Amino acid sequence: MTSKEELTEALEDAQDLPDGDGKIAELERIVAHADALADVRLGFDARYALIDAYNNHTERWRMLPAFGWCLAAFDRDPSMFDDWDAEMLRWYHKWAVATLRSTPRVGLAQTRAALDDMERRFREGGQSLQTIYNLRCKVADHLGDEAEAREWLAKWRTTPRDENSDCAGCDPSRQAELLAGWGEWEEALKIAEPVLSGVLGCTEQPEKALVAVMVPYLHLGRFEEAAQAHVRAYRRHRYERDSFAFLPEHLRFCALTGHHERGLTILEEHLGWLDRPYDEASAMEFAAAGALVCRLADEAGLGRRTIHRPEHGDRAAADVTVTALASDLVATAQDLAGRFDARNGTAHQSGRIAAWLAARPLTEPFELPPDEPPRAAVPAGLPVEGRDDVVAPLTVEAIVAALEERGDHYFVDEDGTVGGRWGDALVHFERLGERREILHARVVAQRRLSVDRLAEAYEFCNAWNHDRLLPKAYVHDTGEGELILAGDVTTDLEHGVAAPQLAVLVNATLATGSAFATAVDELP
């Protein structure tokens, strides 16, 4: 039998593995060995890592047994666990309840019982019920009870947030999605405005909000804004596997605006993702939206065009016609909707998908913005294929181009500082050095601590600097009773930088900076 020390080391190694089948298999092995040793603490830690791995891969429904085991272990002996364990358990409780809407493999009664238990624990612990109202709203909407969903939405929007609430930048986007689904076009835009204008944000914004308002823009005749929202958001979503759930709205945009060729191109590019989607709900919507694109393209005379479908399992790779693919996608969408409805005891999902499949264009095709944002100037005469490889001095324009490529909101001060808000972090990019060759990024956490927590703040920053490479964290006393927790990332680009290299530096800074600010926000 593997020893506890070996399992502990194996768990640390497994947590560094990339998300996927290999990581899940290794964590499941560690869980089995921990249980054989009857080591509750190790089994708890390994299952926490496993829950996270399931959530980040394509098997979110499998987290429920692991979560149930952790919850039972916590209830049996709370003294074995610390505040962080309790906080994460509440977070995973949310994930467990949310699986209802993403897969028909979870029972409706089981989910309702889990949500009732979650509310009981929140009330007993004095936590805000904002998260509970959020989940109840989404469950009611999924079941087709719009009246009840609207009641829960009102409570969700007006109840104070706390550390258990979803991201402040994502809540408005999710609420806008609900309102758009009910045909409340103006209200959907109104609630998403703080995110669209950059007042609120996170690492997934503004793209998530832009997806939520594309169809409302179309229904309101604001076609140019709809086009900009689609192109800007798709620049990012086309490259991120975990953005699969956003692709149906991009396909619907193409269908509703008569951009058949673009819709077919997007469908073909991501068709392989349908074979292993993140969940059945996104697969159902992708299939329905793809089928709509194919049907309208068929009506426009493109039915004999072929789309390459990659191999999967026993299915060989093949070039299929738009007409044939439409039939396959309709069958997939209807089958999944039927499975949801059978679980729910309603016909709501089947009716919703039928409405998607029967949709007609809202307008004639109109011009779309360029797929790629403008880049900084490159030497005249350089071939297109070599432009990304140009090593040039660091410029404000190059930093701006990297952010434009991401589709982010930003500002540029008169002194050339480029900044913006990403999640709970305010990030400024500056060029330092005699020749402005040093890229310096300063990250400031939005949350402030009171000055009497100075020792705790130093302890937090020291721990961060010990365990993390970026950003370098430090504490600043304002002298007015508040502490600012900040960090910086500095890279010497004396010999110049190419666009892809700069993009990596910018992406890493924003990702780690947002993580730092989130960690500050999660302090007790």
Side-chain angles (χ1 to χ4, degrees):
M1 180 181 295
T2 305
S3 70
K4 178 178 179 177
E5 291 72 20
E6 291 173 326
L7 288 176
T8 300
E9 183 177 349
L11 177 57
E12 293 176 355
D13 292 339
Q15 289 174 309
D16 292 332
L17 293 174
D19 292 316
D21 294 330
K23 181 174 185 175
I24 288 174
E26 175 62 5
L27 288 171
E28 289 175 339
R29 182 189 72 83
I30 295 170
V31 165
H33 281 292
D35 289 350
L37 289 174
D39 191 318
V40 176
R41 180 72 242 193
L42 183 58
F44 188 93
D45 292 339
R47 283 179 171 86
Y48 260 24
L50 189 57
I51 290 170
D52 201 55
Y54 285 146
N55 186 68
N56 293 336
H57 197 40
T58 59
E59 300 171 335
R60 294 176 178 176
W61 57 275
R62 294 182 63 190
M63 74 172 65
L64 297 178
F67 168 75
W69 188 98
C70 291
L71 191 63
F74 185 90
D75 287 343
R76 281 194 303 270
D77 187 4
S79 65
M80 185 182 297
F81 308 99
D82 57 26
D83 291 342
W84 183 87
D85 295 322
E87 182 177 342
M88 290 306 299
L89 200 59
R90 290 194 296 270
W91 202 260
Y92 290 155
H93 209 146
K94 289 199 305 183
W95 288 2
V97 173
T99 57
L100 174 92
R101 298 171 61 247
S102 64
T103 176
R105 308 185 200 206
V106 180
L108 179 58
Q110 176 187 10
T111 299
R112 282 176 164 159
L115 184 49
D116 289 342
D117 179 54
M118 184 178 176
E119 180 171 347
R120 175 186 63 80
R121 293 171 186 271
F122 273 47
R123 288 186 182 277
E124 291 177 354
Q127 276 92 30
S128 170
L129 296 184
Q130 197 249 15
T131 293
I132 305 298
Y133 300 147
N134 172 342
L135 292 169
R136 291 200 183 281
C137 174
K138 292 175 181 176
V139 169
D141 177 70
H142 174 77
L143 298 176
D145 191 339
E146 183 180 326
E148 182 178 343
R150 285 179 179 273
E151 292 178 4
W152 290 122
L153 176 61
K155 293 184 177 181
W156 176 11
R157 294 180 62 179
T158 55
T159 301
R161 299 170 49 81
D162 68 1
E163 68 275 7
N164 302 305
S165 299
D166 286 345
C167 167
C170 289
D171 261 1
S173 300
R174 296 187 179 112
Q175 293 164 0
E177 290 172 9
L178 289 166
L179 291 164
W182 302 333
E184 300 280 357
W185 315 124
E186 291 280 8
E187 188 64 21
L189 291 176
K190 180 180 178 181
I191 204 168
E193 176 55 31
V195 183
L196 297 174
S197 64
V199 174
L200 294 174
C202 72
T203 55
E204 295 187 23
Q205 300 295 358
E207 293 82 6
K208 183 185 288 188
L210 290 170
V211 167
V213 299
M214 284 192 299
V215 172
Y217 276 144
L218 290 176
H219 278 278
L220 295 171
R222 296 166 64 171
F223 301 134
E224 182 177 352
E225 290 163 289
Q228 292 173 345
H230 161 63
V231 171
R232 183 175 181 181
Y234 185 63
R235 284 176 189 162
R236 175 175 181 178
H237 293 154
R238 72 185 300 173
Y239 299 116
E240 297 181 353
R241 181 66 176 80
D242 58 357
S243 293
F244 181 72
F246 300 129
L247 296 180
E249 287 302 283
H250 289 293
L251 290 171
R252 290 181 70 208
F253 169 87
C254 294
L256 297 176
T257 58
H259 286 93
H260 307 306
E261 285 288 356
R262 181 173 176 82
L264 293 174
T265 298
I266 293 175
L267 177 61
E268 183 171 26
E269 183 168 349
H270 302 286
L271 191 57
W273 292 4
L274 180 61
D275 294 323
R276 188 157 187 181
Y278 268 59
D279 53 57
E280 285 95 338
S282 57
M284 174 182 70
E285 293 186 347
F286 181 90
L292 175 62
V293 167
C294 288
R295 179 177 64 79
L296 295 177
D298 193 356
E299 292 179 5
L302 299 174
R304 298 184 66 180
R305 173 184 158 169
T306 60
I307 288 180
H308 181 73
R309 191 168 197 179
E311 66 175 340
H312 177 69
D314 296 332
R315 187 191 70 217
D319 292 330
V320 296
T321 65
V322 167
T323 303
L325 182 58
S327 178
D328 288 347
L329 294 177
V330 166
T332 297
Q334 291 177 338
D335 174 67
L336 289 169
R339 290 165 56 190
F340 275 109
D341 286 341
R343 189 274 309 276
N344 297 340
T346 71
H348 176 64
Q349 294 301 324
S350 293
R352 190 168 70 92
I353 292 306
W356 278 30
L357 293 171
R360 304 298 304 173
L362 298 174
T363 178
E364 294 295 321
F366 48 78
E367 185 177 359
L368 301 179
D371 243 344
E372 299 297 336
R375 292 186 176 274
V378 298
L382 186 70
V384 173
E385 60 270 20
R387 295 187 178 193
D388 274 350
D389 297 326
V390 173
V391 175
L394 178 65
T395 63
V396 172
E397 291 75 17
I399 298 172
V400 166
L403 296 176
E404 287 281 355
E405 186 76 17
R406 291 170 47 92
D408 288 343
H409 281 295
Y410 61 89
F411 61 82
V412 182
D413 285 344
E414 292 181 357
D415 64 357
T417 297
V418 182
R421 179 182 293 173
W422 285 266
D424 297 316
L426 180 65
V427 183
H428 287 171
F429 292 97
E430 301 174 277
R431 296 178 303 137
L432 304 180
E434 293 183 1
R435 293 182 287 109
R436 298 291 187 265
E437 75 280 13
I438 298 173
L439 176 64
H440 177 261
R442 185 167 188 263
V443 178
V444 178
Q446 182 175 336
R447 184 186 179 190
R448 303 288 191 265
L449 298 181
S450 60
V451 72
D452 60 356
R453 301 179 67 178
L454 182 61
E456 180 186 352
Y458 278 130
E459 182 180 359
F460 169 83
C461 289
N462 288 338
W464 180 276
N465 291 332
H466 180 272
D467 297 334
R468 310 290 185 96
L469 179 63
L470 301 173
K472 177 183 177 183
Y474 53 89
V475 181
H476 174 65
D477 188 341
T478 65
E480 299 178 355
E482 284 190 334
L483 302 174
I484 295 175
L485 275 68
D488 59 36
V489 181
T490 303
T491 308
D492 189 344
L493 300 174
E494 177 183 0
H495 301 292
V497 62
Q501 179 190 4
L502 184 58
V504 169
L505 295 173
V506 168
N507 290 338
T509 297
L510 296 179
T512 57
S514 296
F516 170 76
T518 298
V520 173
D521 190 60
E522 291 173 349
L523 288 171

